[in-house]
Each structure stands twice: as structure tokens, then as C-alpha cells.
């Protein structure tokens, strides 16, 4: 019986618009979460795919020894595409010239991600190819053509084999960001390794397996592979690469995460306010039901069914609208970026449904309980039950729910607490301001007939309601200001780390006697360049005499104690310097002393990875020669600058104990090509690495993140407007009564209109000012804690906040009540009745 009554009442209230507010709020929450999480996930996947091109796969497995055959067999069982690679150094011979080159042998599937770029001659046009050389052919990098004096079509000897030079190798997707092999690179077919007879038992070679597939396939395969990995095998992805690209990828994920959190917060605020307002509007119907004999249990069932029906319908509508919105947004972004965004997974769907249900339950629970306690006498005494309007329990539940939603969405408690804490500050400050206005207005005195006086009187009368409105307005403005600063300042700061005059070429393999001629070459042609650094490779073998064990990958998001130990499984490039280089800062310890002991300064990111402390003695293997160095300092290093940086810098007293070459970096223009070719011919042992593609990739990531945040900003603006509309709509009945009273007392229409406009201007300006100040402080903390950059204030938003807030709230608020003020008094009385 009660179900029939509940459905009948539900349909009637839905037609009358009684459920509009809570329906719109839940739909808004679901729509916002779905669209934001879908867009950010799709752009994140696109960035991951782009960066995966730089390891030529989604994951790779590295080892100094051959792999077990079952590793590839099992990968096929999991549906993964695979490719094999082998690295080794060998002498290349042609035209009576002998050059040491770095050889990479690949199978037909290489590269699994990205493209190889080649030329058919030294002066030919660059073009992409999907696979490496066929058996019997080799591709040589440009430097080898100069060193050997060969051209495409000539034959070269590699080990015991003779091969035809079929193409000029320009770029490989997984070319090292910095390598001593430089432009002395050879690409060989994997089947021709035996023909060279270079790889023998005990040879110094490096094996790699490449894998490509879906994230689920890779995760399932790694679950099988993990217990079978040997100590000399490393599973890694792009996040494991210590490079500017890896740094930019990690930073882009934090930007997208931060942007998504704003949408979660705004949707939750809209739901909390709307749910409370809906229950308040049901006080009179519940009192009437009780007067007519309705039991508490029946009333509870009716309204719980109403809540269930409106929640289900609003979630469905929110998902549909969110899907359409994210599809339109993704299509626009994909067209702008010239790419196809990958499809999002199930996470946005599941997260949106959870948010909708959780919001409906947690934000409506306490108001519904209050609703059931409304006394029947309210039909005679309309003020009964008003004491339930503000509930500390409801506020606490709402805040707890918002905190949990943000934490679940982000997975980062520090970021969540910073944003949530700044929100609490906004709430506290605005409540204090709202109460202060109430008392200050009385002291100032009000002049009859003044629009400003009437506006302040209205603010005083609705002090508690205005406090809630102020908070809603301020949170919407706060999120907008956050995104404006993210897009205009923090993204710009990030982009400034790859300035226009950044080096785009590394010059390596420079002998000591060649440093001065190259330096003179740069000076004569006004080519900007970095200093010339001595460089050598060294393997981190032990600390305090204790050898390292292999650790597994951080690509799969494992715990800190199981992360890969960078530098253990490879030989990083090392140098020695007299002073701390530009872009480095000592965070602990001190620079080198004048002792006879060799000392070392270590990149702070390796402190935990290698388990180092000040005073530890590191054993480095340099050409199998053990060298011990004591750790005297840890440095912060800005890898995103695309400039020469080192994970370890040794004291100058190591000079003469290890063989070195020198390297530098320069910013070359297109018109320098002819002169550079002449220099390479004159100094055939010198190599150059073109890193323009790496810089373009970093800039591409920044552009995508900037576009994503712009899209999020547009959604937040729409959501903020909807929140404001729902707030104003909730007070329309009370405003109608005020207009009727004022007209009865003889107030002119112009006075009422201006007073209403000034009221919204004051609310918007106050909310904007508080939002701006709190936002700037929160951004300062976020810059330091989340992005590890020097935080700075943004005074321009202290003016932008109040101005934007006043305009935003005044325009939308006045538009909402304009129709009410245009109606005659009789019409308003009929609506109120």
C-alpha cells in the first residue's frame, strides 16, 4: 500500500519540481566525476603511449645474460607482442678506416612502439619505417658515414661478416638520452648476429626483450614473471627511466590528478547543499502526513524510496550526459593534438556510480533523519523544526564524505589534505565574516531609501543562509582560481624548464686535445653551449663493502623497499667538478674538502634507492677497476632542463686515475648543419646526439596537460554556475515574500532591483577575496610539496578573485531573480500561497 502511495507522491513531486534540486545535484556530481575522470584518464593513457615510444615498447626486460626461452613463450600466451634486442660494441671496417661502433641487433617486430626514422642518402629526406634492416643489410648513423667515408650501397665489415649499408639511421625511438656511443651506431638484423662472430661466451653484451599490450595483459604477465626474475634482470617502463622525459611524465600525472580533484570537490559541495535544502522543503508535507495519521515507519519508507528512485535516475542521466560531454571534449582535444585518444577503462563508470550513491546516502542521511522528527504541530506553528536547519552532525558527515571521495579518487593523502584543509579555512573565515557583517551593519546604521542599506539589511537578515551561500560561491571561485593559476602560471613555470634556447645537441666522445678546437668553433659562430665535462662510466657495485642485490621495478607501483635500484643494473655516466653545477643544489652535507680521499656528491633521488647516508663509502667499478669514494653530500637535480646532469659527481682528485672523454651541449640552428658536418669530418671520433625529438616530446606532454586543464576549467565553470543557480533558486520563495512586503511598504522597483544586485555583488566579492587569499596560500604549499619547486605567491588573483566573484555571482544571481521582480504583487502572492 505504501509503495503505491510513495510512487504516486514521487511522480507528483517530480512534476512539480520538488525533486529537481537533489536530482540535478546528483546528476551534476556523476556528470562531473565521469567527464573529468574519463578525460584525464584518456589523456593520461595517451601520454603514457607517447612516452612508451621512447623505450620502443610498453615494458622492457633487461639483462647482461641471455634470457630463459620460456619468458618469450609465456608472453605469447598472455597475448603480448614481443621483440628481442642485443647490444654490443664492435669494430666497423671500410675504406681502410676502423671505427669502434655500438651495435644494436633487433628482430623483425622492433620497434613495438614508435617509429624508426631513416634517410636513403646523407642528403635525402627523412621518413619513417616500421621495422629494422633485413638480413644482410645494416643501417649506420650519420657519424659513421663521415668516419668511414662510405655512402649508401657500399659494403662494410662488422666482425667477420660483410654487410651492405642500405640506409642512414637518423632516429631510433629508444635511443639513449645520453650515451657514449653517440652517433657511432649500427642497426643490425638479429639473425645476422652469428654471422659477425663477435658475440662469444664471456663477451660484454646487453640483452633486452620488448613487450607491448594492454595494461591488464602486462600486469598479469608481470605477476607470473616477478617470481622468476633473476638478480641480473630488470623489468622497467618509462617511469623507471631517470630522464627529463620521466620527470615530465610524473609531473603531468600530478597536474591531471590535481585538476580532477577540483571536480570531485565541487560536485560534492553541490550535492551536500542541495540534499539539505530538499529535506528542508519537505518539512511541511511530513507534518501534514503525520497529522493525517501517517506513521513514522511509513513516512521513512516513502522518502527512502524517493531517495532511491531519484538517485538511480540521476546517476543514469549523469552518466549519459557525462559520456556525451567527455566524448565531445575528447574529440576536440584529439583533433587539436592531432592524435587519437585511447578509450577509457571501467574506472570512470565505477567511480561515478560510487560517487553518486555515496553522495546521496551520506549527504542525505542526517537531513532525512531530521525530516522524520518533524512534529505534527508544524502545520499550526510553522517555526517548529527550524532548529534542525543547521546540524553539526550533517556538516561533519558531509566533510568526511568529501574527504573520503577526494582520497579515493587521488590515492594521495598529502594532496587531499592540502586541498581539504584549505577548504576548511575558507569555511571558517566566511562564517566569521558572515557573522561580522551582521553585527557591523547594525553599528553602521542604515539609511531609509538606500539600495546599499537595503542590501546590507538583507544580508543581516539571512546571516546563516548567506554563510552557506558564501561558502558555496567561495569554493566554486576557489577551484576556478586554482585552475587559472595551474594553467597560466604553474604550467608556464613547467614549460620554462625547457626554454627556447635549451641545448638540442649533445657533443660527446671529445678527446682532451679536441676541447679547444670545438670551443673555438662554437665561439666563432656564436653558438650557445654548455661547459665541457670530463665523463666516464662506472658501475655502483657496493656500499661500505656490501654488494647490492637486484631490486624489482617501480613501473608497476610497488612499495618503496621493492623499487628498482637505479645505477645498480647499469653504468651511469660520471664526472668530476670543482664546484656545484648550475641547476643543482646541495640539500644535505657539504661540497668536497681538500683531502686526499676521493669524495662523491650523489643525486638525492638515489639516497633511498641505494640506501645511502652521509659518510658511506661507495665502490665503483670503472673498467673493472674498483674505486672507492666517500659520500659527502646529496644534491637536488632538475632533470627537466634538458641540460647535462649527473647522478654522481666525484672530487677532482680522481683525475688521472680513470680514462675519460669530454662532452658538452649546444643549441644548434638549421644553418649550422653544413659547418657541423665539416667539423665531424675533421674530428671523426667526435659524436653528436640530436635531442630535438626529446624536447618536442616534453613540450607535447606540457601542451596536452594544458589542454586538459583548460577543459577541466570549463567544466568547473559550468558546475559552479549550476551550484550558484541551485543556491539562489532555494531562496526564491523567501525573496518573493520580501518583494511583496517591500512593495506594500511603498518601495520602488528600482530600489529593490539595485538592492538585490548589490547583495549579490557583496556576496561574490567577499567570497572571491577569501577564495583568492586561501587559494594562493594553498597553491604555495602545493608547489613546494607536490611539484618540488620554489613556491611563489600570485597577487594578481587577489584582485581577480573579488572582481570575478562579484561579476559571476551578480550576473547569474540577478538573472535568477529578475523574473520574480518583474511580476506584479498579486501574482507573487498567488505563488507564495
Amino acid at each position: 500500500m505504501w509503495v503505491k502511495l510513495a510512487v504516486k507522491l514521487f511522480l507528483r513531486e517530480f512534476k512539480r519540481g520538488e525533486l529537481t534540486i537533489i536530482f540535478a545535484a546528483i546528476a551534476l556530481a556523476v556528470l562531473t566525476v565521469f567527464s573529468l575522470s574519463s578525460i584525464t584518464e584518456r589523456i593520461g593513457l595517451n601520454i603514457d603511449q607517447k612516452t612508451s615510444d621512447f623505450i620502443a615498447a610498453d615494458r622492457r626486460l633487461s639483462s647482461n645474460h641471455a634470457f630463459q626461452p620460456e619468458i618469450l613463450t609465456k608472453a605469447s600466451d598472455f597475448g603480448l607482442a614481443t621483440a628481442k634486442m642485443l647490444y654490443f660494441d664492435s669494430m666497423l671496417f671500410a675504406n681502410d678506416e676502423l671505427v669502434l661502433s655500438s651495435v644494436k641487433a633487433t628482430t623483425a617486430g622492433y620497434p613495438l612502439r614508435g617509429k624508426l626514422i631513416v634517410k636513403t642518402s646523407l642528403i635525402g629526406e627523412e621518413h619513417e619505417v616500421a621495422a629494422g634492416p633485413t638480413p644482410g643489410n645494416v643501417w649506420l648513423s650519420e657519424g659513421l658515414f663521415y668516419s668511414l667515408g662510405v655512402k649508401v650501397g657500399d659494403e662494410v665489415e662488422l666482425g667477420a661478416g660483410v654487410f651492405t649499408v642500405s640506409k642512414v639511421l637518423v632516429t631510433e625511438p629508444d635511443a639513449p638520452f645520453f650515451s657514449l656511443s653517440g652517433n657511432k651506431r649500427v642497426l643490425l638484423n638479429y639473425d645476422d648476429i652469428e654471422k659477425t662472430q663477435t658475440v662469444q661466451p664471456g663477451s660484454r653484451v646487453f640483452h633486452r626483450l620488448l613487450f607491448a599490450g594492454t595494461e591488464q595483459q602486462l600486469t598479469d604477465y608481470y605477476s607470473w614473471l616477478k617470481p622468476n626474475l633473476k638478480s641480473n634482470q630488470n623489468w622497467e617502463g618509462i617511469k623507471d627511466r631517470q630522464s627529463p622525459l620521466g620527470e615530465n611524465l610524473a609531473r603531468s600525472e600530478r597536474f591531471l590528478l590535481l585538476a580532477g580533484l577540483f571536480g570531485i570537490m565541487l560536485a560534492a559541495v553541490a550535492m551536500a547543499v542541495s540534499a539539505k535544502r530538499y529535506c528542508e522543503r519537505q518539512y511541511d508535507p511530513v507534518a501534514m502526513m503525520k497529522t493525517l495519521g501517517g506513521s513514522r515507519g511509513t513516512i521513512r519508507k516513502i522518502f527512502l524510496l524517493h531517495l532511491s528512485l531519484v538517485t538511480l535516475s540521476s546517476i543514469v542521466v549523469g552518466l549519459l550526459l557525462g559520456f556525451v560531454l567527455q566524448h565531445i571534449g575528447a574529440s576536440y582535444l584529439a583533433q587539436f593534438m592531432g592524435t587519437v585518444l585511447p578509450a577509457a577503462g571501467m574506472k570512470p563508470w565505477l567511480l561515478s556510480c560510487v560517487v553518486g550513491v555515496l553522495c546521496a546516502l551520506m549527504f542525505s542521511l542526517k537531513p532525512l533523519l531530521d525530516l522524520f522528527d518533524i512534529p505534527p504541530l508544524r502545520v499550526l506553528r510553522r517555526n517548529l523544526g527550524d532548529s534542525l536547519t543547521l546540524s553539526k552532525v550533517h556538516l561533519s558527515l558531509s566533510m568526511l564524505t568529501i574527504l573520503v571521495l577526494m582520497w579515493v579518487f587521488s590515492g594521495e593523502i598529502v594532496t587531499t589534505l592540502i586541498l581539504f584543509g584549505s577548504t576548511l579555512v575558507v569555511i571558517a573565515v566566511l562564517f566569521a565574516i558572515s557573522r561580522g557583517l551582521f553585527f557591523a551593519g547594525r553599528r553602521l546604521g542604515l539609511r531609509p531609501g538606500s539600495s546599499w542599506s537595503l542590501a546590507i539589511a538583507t544580508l543581516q537578515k539571512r546571516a546563516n543562509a548567506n554563510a552557506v551561500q558564501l561558502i558555496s560561491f567561495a569554493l566554486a571561485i576557489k577551484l576556478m582560481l586554482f585552475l587559472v593559476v595551474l594553467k597560466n602560471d604553474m604550467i608556464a613555470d613547467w614549460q620554462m624548464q625547457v626554454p627556447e634556447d635549451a641545448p638540442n645537441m649533445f657533443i660527446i666522445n671529445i678527446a682532451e686535445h679536441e676541447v679547444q678546437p670545438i670551443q673555438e668553433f662554437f665561439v666563432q659562430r656564436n653558438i650557445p653551449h654548455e661547459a665541457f665535462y670530463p665523463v666516464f662510466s662506472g658501475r655502483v657495485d657496493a656500499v661500505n663493502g656490501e654488494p647490492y642485490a637486484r631490486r624489482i621495478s617501480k613501473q608497476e607501483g610497488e612499495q618503496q623497499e621493492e623499487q628498482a635500484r637505479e645505477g645498480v643494473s647499469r653504468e651511469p655516466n660520471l664526472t668530476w667538478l670543482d664546484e656545484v653545477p648550475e641547476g643543482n643544489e646541495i640539500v644535505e652535507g657539504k661540497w668536497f674538502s681538500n683531502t686526499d680521499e676521493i669524495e662523491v656528491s650523489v643525486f638525492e633521488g638515489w639516497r633511498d634507492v641505494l640506501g645511502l647516508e652521509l659518510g658511506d663509502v661507495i665502490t665503483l667499478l670503472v673498467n673493472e677497476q674498483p674505486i672507492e669514494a666517500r659520500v659527502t653530500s646529496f644534491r637536488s637535480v632538475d632533470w627537466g632542463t634538458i641540460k647535462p646532469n649527473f647522478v654522481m659527481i666525484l672530487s677532482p682528485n680522481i683525475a688521472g686515475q680513470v680514462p675519460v672523454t669530454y662532452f658538452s651541449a649546444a643549441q644548434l640552428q638549421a644553418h649550422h648543419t653544413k659547418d657541423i658536418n665539416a667539423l665531424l669530418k675533421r674530428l671523426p671520433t667526435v659524436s653528436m646526439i640530436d635531442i630535438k625529438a626529446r624536447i618536442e616530446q616534453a613540450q607535447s606532454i606540457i601542451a596536452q596537460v594544458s589542454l586538459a586543464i583548460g577543459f577541466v576549467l570549463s567544466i568547473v565553470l559550468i558546475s559552479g554556475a549550476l551550484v550558484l543557480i541551485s543556491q539562489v533558486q532555494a531562496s526564491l520563495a523567501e525573496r518573493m515574500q520580501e518583494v511583496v512586503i517591500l512593495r506594500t511598504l511603498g518601495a520602488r522597483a528600482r530600489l529593490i532591483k539595485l538592492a538585490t544586485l548589490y547583495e549579490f555583488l557583496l556576496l561574490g566579492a567577499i567570497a572571491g577575496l577569501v577564495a583568492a587569499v586561501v587559494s594562493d596560500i594553498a597553491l604555495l604549499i602545493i608547489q613546494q610539496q607536490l611539484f618540488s619547486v620554489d613556491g611563489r605567491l600570485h597577487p594578481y588573483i587577489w584582485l581577480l578573485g573579488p572582481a570575478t566573484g562579484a561579476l559571476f555571482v551578480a550576473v547569474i544571481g540577478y538573472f535568477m531573480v529578475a523574473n520574480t521582480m518583474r511580476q506584479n504583487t498579486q501574482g507573487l502572492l498567488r505563488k507564495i500561497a
Side-chain angles (χ1 to χ4, degrees):
M1 184 65 181
W2 69 268
V3 175
K4 185 178 180 180
L5 176 61
V7 173
K8 188 175 181 179
L9 289 173
F10 176 80
L11 293 176
R12 190 188 70 174
E13 291 186 2
F14 203 84
K15 290 179 181 178
R16 290 177 55 192
E18 293 295 325
L19 292 170
T20 302
I21 298 176
I22 192 167
F23 176 88
I26 298 177
L28 173 62
V30 174
L31 177 154
T32 303
V33 172
F34 184 86
S35 57
L36 291 182
S37 57
S38 295
I39 287 292
T40 52
E41 181 175 336
R42 294 181 69 176
I43 290 182
L45 289 172
N46 184 62
I47 291 174
D48 284 342
Q49 287 186 4
K50 293 283 187 183
T51 52
S52 292
D53 293 352
F54 280 73
I55 58 171
D58 294 322
R59 303 287 192 276
R60 68 185 181 194
L61 187 62
S62 304
S63 175
N64 294 334
H65 303 284
F67 296 103
Q68 308 94 299
E70 59 267 23
I71 289 181
L72 280 178
T73 304
K74 202 68 178 179
S76 299
D77 295 340
F78 280 91
L80 295 174
T82 60
K84 297 168 66 177
M85 295 195 305
L86 183 72
Y87 291 86
F88 60 92
D89 293 333
S90 181
M91 302 305 296
L92 201 63
F93 182 78
N95 297 329
D96 296 326
E97 296 289 344
L98 194 64
V99 177
L100 178 64
S101 59
S102 178
V103 182
K104 178 166 66 177
T106 63
T107 55
Y110 171 86
L112 300 179
R113 295 281 186 254
K115 296 291 184 180
L116 288 164
I117 298 178
V118 297
K119 296 190 295 187
T120 55
S121 68
L122 286 174
I123 60 174
E125 293 291 329
E126 297 179 359
H127 62 278
E128 296 180 354
V129 292
T134 56
N137 295 288
V138 294
W139 298 352
L140 307 183
S141 60
E142 196 165 334
L144 284 172
F145 281 86
Y146 298 130
S147 299
L148 296 173
V150 296
K151 60 182 182 296
V152 173
D154 289 349
E155 291 186 341
V156 295
E157 296 180 26
L158 179 62
V162 178
F163 301 90
T164 301
V165 180
S166 57
K167 284 184 174 60
V168 180
L169 178 60
V170 179
T171 302
E172 310 143 83
D174 58 336
F177 196 82
F178 171 66
S179 168
L180 294 179
S181 61
N183 61 345
K184 305 294 191 294
R185 305 188 318 278
V186 179
L187 197 60
L188 178 74
N189 189 282
Y190 200 89
D191 294 335
D192 284 335
I193 296 175
E194 186 176 353
K195 183 178 178 180
T196 66
Q197 299 183 19
T198 301
V199 179
Q200 302 293 332
S203 297
R204 180 182 171 86
V205 296
F206 301 96
H207 298 260
R208 277 185 183 162
L209 297 180
L210 304 182
F211 304 89
T214 65
E215 283 298 316
Q216 188 60 51
Q217 289 174 323
L218 292 163
T219 300
D220 293 342
Y221 176 67
Y222 183 64
S223 298
W224 171 85
L225 177 66
K226 181 179 175 180
N228 297 290
L229 284 176
K230 295 185 178 180
S231 59
N232 66 336
Q233 296 174 345
N234 295 303
W235 175 264
E236 57 186 359
I238 186 62
K239 295 179 184 177
D240 292 293
R241 300 190 81 188
Q242 184 60 65
S243 71
L245 188 60
E247 285 287 307
N248 283 329
L249 175 59
R251 184 167 290 186
S252 70
E253 291 177 339
R254 291 195 288 271
F255 272 116
L256 293 177
L257 169 66
L258 201 57
L261 276 175
F262 297 149
I264 292 283
M265 184 182 293
L266 187 58
V269 170
M271 180 58 207
V273 174
S274 300
K276 176 176 172 294
R277 179 59 187 166
Y278 168 74
C279 290
E280 289 175 9
R281 294 175 68 176
Q282 302 305 311
Y283 285 176
D284 291 342
V286 169
M288 186 65 69
M289 288 182 191
K290 288 185 176 181
T291 304
L292 296 176
S295 67
R296 180 186 175 92
T298 300
I299 294 173
R300 182 190 302 116
K301 292 176 182 177
I302 289 174
F303 281 96
L304 286 178
L305 180 59
H306 285 187
L307 180 63
S308 301
L309 290 175
V310 76
T311 299
L312 178 62
S313 58
S314 58
I315 287 177
V316 172
V317 171
L319 288 174
L320 291 176
L321 293 176
F323 179 79
V324 173
L325 182 61
Q326 68 86 27
H327 179 72
I328 294 173
S331 299
Y332 168 75
L333 294 175
Q335 183 178 7
F336 189 88
M337 294 184 293
T339 185
V340 177
L341 295 181
M346 292 300 298
K347 181 180 176 181
W349 295 91
L350 296 175
L351 183 62
S352 301
C353 292
V354 169
V355 167
V357 173
L358 191 59
C359 284
L361 178 63
M362 296 300 292
F363 294 140
S364 303
L365 183 61
K366 185 60 173 65
L368 278 176
L369 294 177
D370 291 343
L371 182 62
F372 305 146
D373 290 334
I374 294 297
L377 279 176
R378 182 178 171 89
V379 295
L380 298 176
R381 298 175 58 187
R382 301 296 301 278
N383 62 333
L384 290 177
D386 289 349
S387 60
L388 301 174
T389 301
L390 286 178
S391 170
K392 294 180 180 178
V393 176
H394 177 58
L395 289 174
S396 300
L397 282 176
S398 300
M399 290 180 183
L400 179 62
T401 303
I402 292 174
L403 177 62
V404 171
L405 287 174
M406 293 172 63
W407 190 6
V408 169
F409 182 80
S410 69
E412 290 194 9
I413 187 62
V414 174
T415 307
T416 298
L417 288 176
I418 292 174
L419 292 180
F420 187 75
S422 64
T423 302
L424 293 182
V425 172
V426 170
I427 293 173
V429 171
L430 288 175
F431 260 117
I433 290 176
S434 179
R435 304 308 299 176
L437 280 176
F438 180 79
F439 294 107
R442 287 181 175 179
R443 293 183 178 180
L444 289 173
L446 302 178
R447 293 187 298 107
S450 168
S451 299
W452 281 108
S453 296
L454 184 56
I456 294 174
T458 306
L459 289 175
Q460 293 173 359
K461 180 183 176 182
R462 288 197 296 266
N464 288 334
N466 285 335
V468 176
Q469 287 188 346
L470 273 173
I471 291 169
S472 300
F473 300 161
L475 289 180
I477 297 168
K478 172 176 174 282
L479 301 182
M480 295 174 198
L481 292 176
F482 253 99
L483 291 175
V484 167
V485 174
L486 273 180
K487 192 174 190 316
N488 295 337
D489 282 35
M490 294 180 69
I491 290 287
D493 291 344
W494 180 20
Q495 197 162 9
M496 284 297 292
Q497 296 182 12
V498 189
E500 294 184 359
D501 60 346
N504 58 14
M505 283 282 186
F506 281 163
I507 304 95
I508 65 174
N509 281 347
I510 305 171
E512 187 170 2
H513 68 275
E514 295 172 330
V515 171
Q516 185 175 352
I518 295 176
Q519 196 167 24
E520 292 175 352
F521 173 85
F522 289 152
V523 172
Q524 291 171 1
R525 290 161 180 78
N526 294 319
I527 297 176
H529 65 282
E530 302 293 321
F532 287 78
Y533 298 89
V535 64
F536 61 98
S537 298
R539 180 185 178 90
V540 182
D541 193 55
V543 169
N544 298 326
E546 181 180 353
Y548 281 112
R550 191 205 68 82
R551 295 298 178 94
I552 55 182
S553 172
K554 64 184 177 184
Q555 175 70 41
E556 308 306 326
E558 296 173 340
Q559 297 299 317
Q560 175 67 30
E561 60 269 21
E562 295 201 351
Q563 287 180 334
R565 287 197 169 192
E566 296 283 357
V568 174
S569 59
R570 63 183 178 90
E571 295 188 359
N573 296 308
L574 311 175
T575 190
W576 67 76
L577 293 173
D578 293 315
E579 299 178 352
V580 182
E582 182 183 356
N584 290 233
E585 183 179 349
I586 294 179
V587 295
E588 186 178 353
K590 59 182 181 179
W591 196 241
F592 307 130
S593 57
N594 295 321
T595 63
D596 294 333
E597 184 179 34
I598 297 175
E599 298 173 334
V600 61
S601 177
V602 182
F603 164 52
E604 65 173 340
W606 278 28
R607 173 165 36 189
D608 294 330
V609 174
L610 298 176
L612 296 176
E613 295 180 0
L614 292 176
D616 285 346
V617 176
I618 297 177
T619 302
L620 300 170
L621 285 181
V622 181
N623 297 329
E624 304 303 323
Q625 173 190 354
I627 293 179
E628 293 186 346
R630 185 173 300 278
V631 178
T632 61
S633 65
F634 295 105
R635 292 170 292 111
S636 62
V637 179
D638 188 358
W639 299 97
T641 57
I642 320 291
K643 290 188 176 184
N645 278 309
F646 299 89
V647 292
M648 291 189 181
I649 300 176
L650 287 89
S651 54
N653 56 355
I654 194 177
Q657 299 188 35
V658 293
V660 299
T661 57
Y662 287 79
F663 97 101
S664 182
Q667 215 285 334
L668 302 179
Q669 304 298 328
H671 62 271
H672 294 138
T673 302
K674 184 176 181 181
D675 292 337
I676 287 295
N677 290 341
L679 178 68
L680 292 177
K681 287 182 180 180
R682 183 159 50 93
L683 304 173
T685 60
V686 173
S687 299
M688 302 195 73
I689 305 175
D690 187 346
I691 59 172
K692 289 194 296 290
R694 299 321 191 257
I695 296 176
E696 291 172 359
Q697 177 70 4
Q699 297 286 11
S700 173
I701 292 175
I702 295 172
Q704 290 185 44
V705 174
S706 181
L707 279 173
I709 291 178
F711 179 78
V712 172
L713 178 58
S714 64
I715 293 181
V716 169
L717 284 170
I718 296 172
S719 302
L722 292 176
V723 171
L724 195 156
I725 290 171
S726 66
Q727 283 281 15
V728 176
Q729 186 177 4
S731 64
L732 280 180
E734 187 176 356
R735 291 182 182 277
M736 288 180 187
Q737 294 178 353
E738 292 175 355
V739 171
V740 170
I741 294 172
L742 289 171
R743 286 179 178 176
T744 303
L745 294 175
R748 295 181 179 179
R750 184 173 184 273
L751 174 68
I752 299 173
K753 290 180 180 180
L754 287 178
T756 304
L757 180 62
Y758 294 158
E759 178 188 350
F760 285 122
L761 281 172
L762 284 172
L763 285 174
I766 294 170
L769 178 61
V770 175
V773 175
V774 175
S775 295
D776 212 10
I777 296 173
L779 282 166
L780 180 66
I781 299 173
I782 286 174
Q783 285 174 293
Q784 295 173 341
Q785 299 298 321
L786 190 61
F787 297 102
S788 300
V789 297
D790 294 333
R792 61 186 179 87
L793 296 175
H794 307 84
Y796 73 89
I797 68 171
W798 298 5
L799 298 176
L800 180 65
T804 304
L807 181 63
F808 183 67
V809 174
V811 170
I812 296 180
Y814 188 80
F815 174 79
M816 288 293 298
V817 300
N819 185 52
T820 298
M821 291 185 289
R822 282 196 296 267
Q823 297 184 36
N824 58 37
T825 304
Q826 289 182 346
L828 291 177
L829 284 173
R830 282 195 295 268
K831 282 195 172 184
I832 294 172

